[in-house]
Each structure stands twice: as C-alpha cells, then as structure tokens.
Amino acid sequence: MPPMKLPKLRASGRLKVSNLKRYIIGKLQIQASPASVEICCNGDPLGDELSLTFINRTRWIDPTEEVQLTYRFGEEGMF
C-alpha cells in the first residue's frame, strides 16, 4: 500500500468518515470500494456516519493535539 504524499489534511469538522474514505481512495488512485477501507482513531474503527467534530470531541484523547486518524484496506465487507 503506497503512503499518501501529503499525510495531513485540513478539512471542515462536518466532513464524515464516508467522505474521507472516498478521498483516500481517490488520492491513492486505486480501484477499491469505500467498504474496503477502515478509518481508525486511537486504534478504534469509526463508523461512516461520524463527523470529524464528533470524533474530536468524543474519541480523541488529547484535545490540545491535532486529531490523527489511520486507515487500512481489507476485503470488502470485512470491516
């Protein structure tokens, strides 16, 4: 899996995880379904309906630091 060239993204807090999955697929220029991407915060998988503001307020440990999310690919429907 190639890493993203620019690992940081500045986005609106209204951005949903489902949109972030499509963004990652587009940036990596791969043929994959959004269902095959898992986005995590502190190692916990995030649901597609969650916004970045909600994640920052409820899932992120240190409010003084920028939110860091990770992603990984698997088989569709695996997550």
Side-chain angles (χ1 to χ4, degrees):
M1 180 66 52
M4 295 182 75
K5 291 180 182 178
L6 298 173
K8 288 190 175 191
L9 171 68
R10 182 175 294 279
S12 166
R14 296 184 301 191
L15 183 73
K16 304 251 182 212
V17 171
S18 59
N19 300 107
L20 186 56
K21 288 179 177 185
R22 288 194 293 272
Y23 174 81
I24 291 169
I25 290 169
K27 277 297 191 183
L28 294 177
Q29 299 178 347
I30 58 173
Q31 296 295 319
S33 164
S36 67
V37 181
E38 182 180 52
I39 306 287
C40 297
C41 180
N42 298 321
D44 295 328
L46 301 171
D48 287 348
E49 72 286 350
L50 300 181
S51 69
L52 294 181
T53 298
F54 181 83
I55 294 165
N56 187 31
R57 290 181 181 166
T58 62
R59 304 285 177 97
W60 187 239
I61 296 171
D62 187 356
T64 62
E65 295 286 325
E66 292 180 344
V67 174
Q68 295 180 21
L69 303 176
T70 58
Y71 67 91
R72 67 178 181 162
F73 287 87
E75 295 177 26
E76 188 169 342
M78 182 175 146
F79 306 116

